[in-house]
Amino acid sequence: MRTPRRPALVGGLALLVLLGGAWVGAYAAAGDGLPSGARISGVDVGGMSPSEAESALRAGLAETVAEPIEVAVRGRGGGSAEVTAGDAGLSVDWAASVAEAGGGRSWDPRDLWDRFAGGEETDAVVRVDDAAFDRTLERLEGDLGTEPTDGAVTFVDGEARVSEPADGRGLDPEGARSALAAAYLSGEPAELAITDLAPDIDADDVAEAVEAFADPALSAPVTLTVGSEELELRPEQYADALTLTPADGELEPGVDPEALGPVLDQVTAGAGEPVDARIEVRRGKPRVVPGKPAVTYDPADVATALLAVVTRPEGERTAEVEGTVRPPDLTTKEARALGVREKVSEFTTEFPYAEYRNTNIGRAAEIVDGTLLQPGEVFSLNDIVGERTRENGFTEGFIISNGIFKQDLGGGVSQMATTTFNAMFFAGLEDIEHKPHSFYIDRYPVGREATVAWPTVDLRFRNDTDHGVLITADLKPSTPSSSGAVTVQMWSTKVWDVESVTSDRYAFTSPATRTLDTPDCYANSGYGGFTVDVTRIFKEPGSEEVVKREKFNTVYTPSDTVRCVPPGSLSGGGGGGGNGGGGGAGRG
């Protein structure tokens, strides 16, 4: 027979009803208030409704959150600063803070228990505006830290220069965020730790760039072929166009097309007219100054070609560049092949003080200086110097005309002609045309001198060697207390040793006397004329054997004595007496 269980079941149900009623009663009694012991960031909000708690929290933290936050930095360097909560993007989420502390209704028995017998200290919920915080952190790093310095390799004055990297000092963003938020609520200083910041380009990156690019790039010249022209670029020329640019933690090699412009101008004439090679004397030695072809090209193409070959080993540093070329009339290769290597002759003549001589001889020397004669080419002083005019830089000076002195433009240029003739004489070049003065001038070598007059009387000689001949000329001006001097040098490959032998003077003639009443009369004390022979003797360099001789016969007419009388005082209004002197003209 079964035992009846109904009373036990009824008792259990009654207990459940009783407990449920108590749970509902507790829920109703608790309402939405906070736990009795709740505190938020030190503000007592226990038992308050959420709205009451929020108001209490705002009032309790009002002064704290309004104060600037003091920032102290620990570590190397240290320092301190102040920031405002607004600048740092910090704000309190009041509602979330209350909810986090337990505000609001809940059926959870644990929450119901806390309403009457629990509660704890919680921190107010701080919201952070990331953009504002990042700006403040950047400012603090600027004030209290330093940016790391990347290593670098630059090219200056044809050399690679290394800038060593350096660590910076910075703040840990997450640690700074937590410290500032805590200090914002507590009113205590925020302690931030500063740490070393490594540069993107470190010492290893710099060393690799130097070894892999800079050193080989500056190790040897590069040859760029544009059309038929080879352009040699030396490292010191193109170095400043090289670049090593930071990219993804490395130094990336490059060539700056714009910086290549001045480099290419050194070796080409651009799209203009070609520039001939020339030869200059520097420190007593002839040196070839390279010619410049006229070249059209795209600088970007040149930069690409240069970058492709600049790290190759010597012998493989050649690249082709698309473009067009017009070579100069005298190329660098041709100038070097002329064999202008040494001084083969030099001659100096002196002259007394006269400003017109300084001007006219100096101007002629300036024009002649640097003349380059190709093999077989003829030198003409008149062609090179040109007509002696004021526009050409000349002034009036004394000349010899019809056996007497007169003034005319270019007086004194014959001094340059005589000096050049003697330099030609001892260089062993072929005399084509020279005319001695009509009467002898004792500052010139007897029988070895020349006069010129535009356009009829010229000094001409031919370079009959297989080498080029460079002619240089220099003037030392005269002063009232010292003579002037003009020097002409010829540079080539020595072909001859030349000696000069001068005969005794013979066939003497006597001067006449002239009396002139012209306005341009200049008195003169005359002297006689004579004939003289000069022999040029040719020997091979270092040999005593005579290869050939060349004789120059010179007849000097007398220099007439000239007496000047008042203009118009002679019958007929002009003319003179005595023997007629020698004719001819020249700029003495």
Side-chain angles (χ1 to χ4, degrees), residues 140-162:
L140 287 173
E141 283 188 322
D143 294 340
L144 305 175
T146 57
E147 289 291 329
T149 302
D150 283 340
V153 180
T154 55
F155 298 87
V156 180
D157 296 334
E159 297 180 349
R161 298 184 182 178
V162 172

Side-chain angles (χ1 to χ4, degrees), residues 75-325:
R76 180 166 54 91
S80 61
E82 280 190 352
V83 298
T84 66
D87 288 342
L90 302 176
S91 62
V92 176
D93 188 331
W94 307 105
S97 299
V98 170
E100 184 75 16
R105 289 185 175 276
S106 174
W107 287 101
D108 189 320
R110 292 168 299 178
D111 291 339
L112 292 175
W113 176 258
D114 285 344
R115 290 289 190 276
F116 301 104
E120 60 184 359
E121 178 86 18
T122 60
D123 290 329
V125 176
V126 177
R127 303 298 183 192
V128 181
D129 181 330
D130 289 335
F133 180 82
D134 289 344
R135 287 194 296 270
T136 297
L137 191 64
E138 182 178 348
R139 178 176 67 81
L140 287 173
E141 283 188 322
D143 294 340
L144 305 175
T146 57
E147 289 291 329
T149 302
D150 283 340
V153 180
T154 55
F155 298 87
V156 180
D157 296 334
E159 297 180 349
R161 298 184 182 178
V162 172
S163 298
E164 296 295 341
D167 288 344
R169 297 186 303 126
L171 300 171
D172 172 40
E174 290 306 318
R177 180 188 292 260
S178 299
L180 285 172
Y184 171 52
L185 296 176
S186 68
E188 298 295 323
E191 290 194 359
L192 310 183
I194 196 162
T195 59
D196 288 339
L197 302 178
D200 290 336
I201 307 298
D202 60 20
D204 290 340
D205 298 321
V206 170
E208 182 180 354
V210 170
E211 181 180 358
F213 182 73
D215 284 349
L218 302 180
S219 64
V222 169
T223 300
L224 301 179
T225 303
V226 184
S228 60
E229 191 72 23
E230 290 187 349
L231 306 178
E232 183 181 273
L233 302 180
R234 301 187 305 277
E236 62 268 24
Q237 291 177 306
Y238 63 71
D240 290 1
L242 303 179
T243 60
L244 280 164
T245 306
D248 298 327
E250 296 180 348
L251 290 173
E252 182 175 303
V255 176
D256 183 357
E258 291 187 7
L260 266 185
V263 176
L264 296 171
D265 288 345
Q266 296 178 37
V267 295
T268 75
E273 291 301 313
V275 177
D276 284 347
R278 66 184 190 277
I279 302 175
E280 294 181 351
V281 176
R282 299 175 181 172
R283 298 182 180 178
K285 292 288 185 180
R287 296 286 185 269
V288 173
V289 178
K292 295 183 179 182
V295 181
T296 56
Y297 50 80
D298 185 344
D301 290 344
V302 179
T304 301
L306 182 62
L307 183 61
V309 301
V310 77
T311 56
R312 292 181 185 175
E314 193 168 1
E316 301 177 18
R317 301 165 69 85
T318 301
E320 293 187 1
V321 179
E322 184 176 349
T324 59
V325 178

Side-chain angles (χ1 to χ4, degrees), residues 470-513:
L470 173 68
I471 304 173
T472 59
D474 180 65
L475 178 82
K476 183 190 82 172
S478 62
T479 70
S481 59
S482 64
S483 297
V486 60
T487 299
V488 174
Q489 298 172 324
M490 296 199 174
W491 307 79
S492 186
T493 293
K494 196 169 183 63
V495 175
W496 300 111
D497 282 340
V498 174
E499 295 179 6
S500 178
V501 176
T502 303
S503 72
D504 292 334
R505 304 177 187 186
Y506 61 94
F508 293 95
T509 54
S510 299
T513 298

